Amino acid sequence: MCNMYTQFFFQVANILYLESPAGSGYSYAKTRRAAETSDTKQIHQIDQFLRSWFVDHPEFISNSFYVGGDSYSGKIVPGVVQQISLGNEKGLTPLINIQQGYVLGNPAVGTNLEPNHRVSFAHRMGLISDELHESLERNCGGKFFNVDPSNAKCSNGLLAYHQCISEIYIEQILLPNCKVDYVLADISQTLPNIRTSRRRELKESRNDSSSLPPPSCFTYRYFLSAFWANDENVRRALGVKKVPMASENGVDATLKTYHIHMIFTMPFHITSIIAVKASALSSTGKIILHSFFFDGDHDMMIPFSSTEAWIKSLNYSIVDDWRPWMMTSNQVAGYTRTYANKMTFATIKATNSKPFLSSLVFLLVELKMI
């Protein structure tokens, strides 16, 4: 079944996974300027990369193009869409056929927006009582961060709130609350021990780390991924280049500093969706891009309620109101709503939406179907 699905998927689309900014994943910087990045620099770097990639792969230029990502990429992807569109308008070549749109999962939009909606999310999910929620709304005035210390009622309420959620794994509230930031021992020393072990699990006795995640933890796969990603066979299969930690001119190849410039990116969503000129691609003037936002309804890090809130604030009319969408004839997969500006919002039931690493932006190139 998995093979059938995979074959079907790649008959429909090609996906280009981009490790950005330089220093994430297997990527590295060749110059000091490339190593110093930010939200805005990353947007320009991605646009430059894509146009270079299409020069090398001209067979994809005429295909419909989509941009996507999740989590923090919610701040980057709309800017990339806008940058590509502005480049097309200016006549930059090759033109990128981005007339279709973009997709984001549990997207970060505002530095303070998502954290501020965690209280309402906790209430909707039954993590805090009605009384505590009402008290927080009344005493904090809807602001649950950087609270005035003199507001004792609000501060005490937030203390009670944090006590209630202290044992919750906020990236997926149904899962055990396991550590994420495990410190690995020397992989070159640990990996041989894993290979010679009869057990598939990594035992604590095999590693000098202070504590390792048990296999029952969701974060166990993150722990294992470090060994998989550093395996020579894997790196060879993926064509990963061997580069020193610092190049000959002394530039560190890894990401060291990242500057956050985008505090609130909802305006980018508005301009990316509406104010994209198609003059470089067609004679229709302005076009409206499709945008699709999907949120795992058990992700408290970037709760679906925050996505709902900022979409609702755009005041677009609803053309297909809140309804279930089905995985099978008798299995609800989540709920969805569609707006007049070709914007669709959907929840994914009982999960988060982290199928992709948040440091990656994936780019979808649709194949022409005969």
Side-chain angles (χ1 to χ4, degrees):
M1 187 68 178
C2 181
N3 289 335
M4 290 175 59
Y5 172 81
T6 302
Q7 291 174 8
F8 171 78
F9 183 83
F10 285 107
Q11 287 176 358
V12 174
N14 292 93
I15 297 182
L16 174 63
Y17 289 90
L18 177 61
E19 294 180 334
S20 176
S24 59
Y26 292 119
S27 65
Y28 58 94
K30 291 183 178 180
T31 66
R32 188 172 302 279
R33 183 178 180 183
E36 297 173 355
T37 188
S38 65
D39 293 333
T40 51
K41 285 184 179 179
Q42 188 180 175
I43 289 171
H44 288 280
Q45 289 171 344
I46 291 173
D47 177 57
Q48 292 171 2
F49 164 80
L50 287 174
R51 296 190 192 276
S52 298
W53 188 87
F54 276 111
V55 168
D56 295 335
H57 303 85
E59 65 272 22
F60 292 103
I61 289 177
S62 62
N63 298 343
S64 299
F65 187 81
Y66 304 82
V67 184
D70 81 305
S71 192
Y72 194 83
S73 293
K75 292 189 174 184
I76 306 302
V77 167
V80 171
V81 172
Q82 187 180 71
Q83 187 67 27
I84 291 173
S85 302
L86 291 174
N88 287 342
E89 182 184 348
K90 293 176 180 179
L92 296 183
T93 58
L95 296 178
I96 299 176
N97 190 10
I98 196 167
Q99 296 188 68
Q100 297 303 316
Y102 63 104
V103 55
L104 287 168
N106 284 81
V109 172
T111 302
N112 297 324
L113 178 66
E114 290 81 29
N116 213 39
H117 277 271
R118 289 173 190 163
V119 170
S120 61
F121 175 90
H123 178 240
R124 292 170 74 168
M125 288 295 170
L127 304 182
I128 61 175
S129 67
D130 290 342
E131 292 79 9
L132 178 56
H133 181 248
E134 291 169 3
S135 172
L136 287 169
E137 288 288 344
R138 181 174 60 253
N139 296 319
C140 300
K143 182 181 178 181
F144 309 111
F145 59 92
N146 295 332
V147 174
D148 184 351
S150 64
N151 189 343
K153 290 184 177 180
C154 178
S155 299
N156 291 336
L158 287 174
L159 180 60
Y161 159 77
H162 286 296
Q163 289 174 341
C164 286
I165 67 166
S166 61
E167 295 302 320
I168 296 291
Y169 177 49
I170 66 171
E171 290 190 13
Q172 219 296 10
I173 65 172
L174 297 181
L175 297 179
N177 187 28
C178 301
K179 285 181 61 178
V180 177
D181 54 342
Y182 299 99
V183 179
L184 296 177
D186 188 342
I187 290 179
S188 63
Q189 298 296 322
T190 307
L191 196 55
N193 292 335
I194 298 170
R195 286 175 173 163
T196 57
S197 174
R198 293 183 179 181
R199 295 181 59 85
R200 293 184 179 181
E201 299 87 359
L202 297 177
K203 295 182 177 180
E204 291 190 23
S205 59
R206 300 272 183 199
N207 197 293
D208 294 330
S209 300
S210 59
S211 63
L212 302 183
S216 60
C217 280
F218 183 82
T219 54
Y220 185 67
R221 67 191 66 186
Y222 300 154
F223 178 73
L224 290 179
S225 67
F227 295 96
W228 177 86
N230 285 281
D231 185 278
E232 285 301 321
N233 294 320
V234 172
R235 297 169 71 92
R236 193 179 306 113
L238 295 177
V240 177
K241 294 181 180 180
K242 288 186 176 181
V243 294
M245 290 301 293
S247 64
E248 293 181 0
N249 60 358
V251 177
D252 193 338
T254 59
L255 176 64
K256 292 298 182 184
T257 303
Y258 188 91
H259 299 284
I260 298 175
H261 294 156
M262 298 183 176
I263 305 302
F264 187 60
T265 58
M266 194 172 74
F268 276 88
H269 289 280
I270 298 172
T271 54
S272 294
I273 293 168
I274 298 176
V276 178
K277 289 189 178 180
S279 56
L281 300 172
S282 69
S283 59
T284 58
K286 291 182 182 294
I287 59 174
I288 297 178
L289 296 180
H290 292 271
S291 58
F292 176 54
F293 305 101
F294 64 97
D295 281 25
D297 65 5
H298 281 65
D299 186 336
M300 191 174 175
M301 179 69 74
I302 302 179
F304 71 91
S305 55
S306 67
T307 307
E308 275 186 311
W310 70 258
I311 290 178
K312 192 176 296 183
S313 70
L314 298 176
N315 292 320
Y316 293 120
S317 59
I318 297 171
V319 297
D320 187 9
D321 210 350
W322 194 263
R323 61 173 177 81
W325 63 275
M326 310 299 290
M327 182 178 296
T328 61
S329 60
N330 60 352
Q331 176 65 59
V332 174
Y335 293 82
T336 183
R337 173 182 282 165
T338 303
Y339 297 84
N341 64 329
K342 298 184 180 180
M343 175 185 285
T344 299
F345 171 69
T347 64
I348 303 175
K349 191 177 67 170
T351 187
N352 61 5
S353 61
K354 298 295 188 294
F356 314 103
L357 294 177
S358 60
S359 61
L360 302 185
V361 177
F362 75 88
L363 304 154
L364 179 64
V365 182
E366 184 183 44
L367 296 177
K368 286 184 175 178
M369 302 300 292
I370 300 177

